[in-house]
């Protein structure tokens, strides 16, 4: 049975609604970790108004290569200075020396921006899981070692075990996503220390599936639960106009509020929250 949990909110700094949700979920709920985007519009708001008010929130780097303005000015994987990529475009992009150097510079600048803001970085992961792409994973691991970041998110959940508890509510896209990420993870240097929940219900995590899994899983003692909480009513239509449509639909999905509500579930008291 799972005994210890890392309850992590992705996308800190992405929007006002995300930031406010993380603050409340940490102070009044069980949220213990958050992954911070260094190059998004609400980064400064997160640094100045959210993190200082949080209760022992552990903050990591949410490596962002798929949206927002690049921090490395001569990055070759940008369009007019913006990181307008997708996971698939980054996966299949020819990794020339110049491309790899740009990726490494961008990722390190994101790490340094968070470090220079006075944050003790607890972990590193990737927006839309770009850090699982093997060539990018090598860079992330190199920089994690350089900057003494102890934990890197691994997508290591067993497909059949996850299917047993999450398959009935899994979308076809999430099934494909888990297969792809599990395959790519074979080429990465994984430790296997911390389990992960749950790619099959990504962005649609529900309490029924989650607690059935936690009670019955035998693979890991410690599991990271990845959530995307947001209070989307706090985000303005004007802000949405600056985003790619896929992110607008993400924010407006009712599951953002559902995952926020999950952060307050009293059943988390049965576990040691790290």
């Amino acid at each position: 049975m799972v005994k210890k949990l890392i309850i992590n909110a992705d996308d800190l700094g992405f929007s006002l609604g995300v930031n406010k949700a993380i603050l409340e979920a940490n102070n009044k709920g069980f949220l213990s970790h958050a992954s911070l985007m260094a190059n998004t519009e609400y980064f400064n708001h997160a640094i100045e108004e959210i993190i200082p008010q949080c209760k022992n929130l552990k903050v990591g780097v949410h490596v962002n290569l798929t949206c927002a303005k690049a921090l490395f000015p001569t990055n070759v994987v940008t369009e007019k200075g913006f990181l307008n990529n997708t996971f698939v475009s980054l996966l299949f992009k020819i990794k020339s020396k110049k491309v790899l150097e740009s990726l490494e510079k961008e990722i390190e600048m994101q790490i340094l921006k968070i470090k220079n803001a006075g944050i003790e970085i607890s972990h590193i992961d990737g927006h839309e899981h770009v850090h699982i792409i093997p060539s990018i994973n090598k860079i992330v691991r190199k920089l994690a070692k350089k900057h003494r970041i102890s934990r890197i998110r691994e997508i290591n959940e067993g497909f059949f075990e996850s299917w047993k508890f999450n398959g009935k509510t899994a979308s076809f896209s999430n099934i494909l996503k888990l297969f792809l990420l599990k395959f790519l993870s074979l080429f990465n240097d994984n430790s296997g220390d911390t389990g992960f929940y749950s790619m099959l219900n990504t962005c649609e995590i529900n309490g029924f599936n989650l607690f059935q899994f936690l009670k019955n899983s035998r693979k890991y003692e410690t599991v990271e639960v990845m959530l995307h909480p947001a209070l989307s009513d706090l985000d303005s239509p004007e802000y949405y106009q600056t985003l790619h449509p896929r992110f607008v639909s993400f924010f407006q999905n009712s599951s953002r509020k559902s995952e926020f509500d999950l952060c307050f579930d009293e059943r988390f008291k049965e576990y040691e929250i790290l």
Side-chain angles (χ1 to χ4, degrees), residues 119-182:
I119 301 297
E120 183 178 345
I121 298 172
S122 72
H123 63 279
I124 188 166
D125 51 47
H127 187 49
E128 302 186 278
H129 304 294
V130 295
H131 73 295
I132 299 297
I133 296 171
S135 54
I136 297 175
N137 191 266
K138 288 179 183 178
I139 294 170
V140 166
R141 291 187 179 279
K142 172 185 174 182
L143 294 175
K145 184 176 181 180
K146 178 179 178 180
H147 294 283
R148 299 182 180 180
I149 302 170
S150 60
R151 183 173 66 86
I152 300 168
R153 175 182 288 166
E154 297 171 9
I155 309 298
N156 53 18
E157 62 182 295
F159 179 82
F160 293 106
E161 182 181 49
S162 189
W163 180 264
K164 179 179 178 180
F165 299 103
N166 308 294
K168 289 182 179 179
T169 54
S171 66
F172 182 68
S173 62
N174 279 339
I175 294 170
L176 289 179
K177 196 180 298 181
L178 177 56
F179 270 118
L180 176 59
L181 292 174
K182 289 279 287 181

Side-chain angles (χ1 to χ4, degrees), residues 11-154:
D11 299 342
L12 179 60
F14 204 174
S15 80
L16 179 63
V18 171
N19 287 2
K20 293 282 191 177
I22 288 172
L23 174 61
E24 190 168 343
N26 171 256
N27 280 339
K28 299 179 182 179
F30 296 94
L31 187 74
S32 60
H33 290 63
S35 299
L36 176 60
M37 304 168 86
N39 63 334
T40 45
E41 186 169 335
Y42 286 87
F43 170 82
N44 289 335
H45 179 262
I47 292 294
E48 296 166 5
E49 300 187 40
I50 300 299
I51 296 172
Q53 297 185 61
C54 284
K55 179 182 64 179
N56 300 319
L57 182 71
K58 297 178 180 67
V59 177
V61 179
H62 200 45
V63 172
N64 180 19
L65 302 174
T66 60
C67 65
K69 192 173 182 179
L71 299 183
F72 180 47
T74 56
N75 197 321
V76 300
V77 295
T78 63
E79 288 183 9
K80 299 179 180 179
F82 286 86
L83 293 157
N84 187 24
N85 303 296
T86 65
F87 181 97
V88 173
S89 69
L90 287 169
L91 175 62
F92 290 107
K93 192 172 188 66
I94 296 173
K95 306 301 192 301
S96 66
K97 182 179 179 181
K98 197 169 185 179
V99 166
L100 291 173
E101 287 175 351
S102 278
L103 290 170
E104 183 168 342
K105 289 282 189 180
E106 178 65 35
I107 294 168
E108 184 159 33
M109 289 186 76
Q110 292 183 18
I111 292 171
L112 288 172
K113 186 174 180 181
I114 292 172
K115 282 185 72 172
N116 292 339
I119 301 297
E120 183 178 345
I121 298 172
S122 72
H123 63 279
I124 188 166
D125 51 47
H127 187 49
E128 302 186 278
H129 304 294
V130 295
H131 73 295
I132 299 297
I133 296 171
S135 54
I136 297 175
N137 191 266
K138 288 179 183 178
I139 294 170
V140 166
R141 291 187 179 279
K142 172 185 174 182
L143 294 175
K145 184 176 181 180
K146 178 179 178 180
H147 294 283
R148 299 182 180 180
I149 302 170
S150 60
R151 183 173 66 86
I152 300 168
R153 175 182 288 166
E154 297 171 9

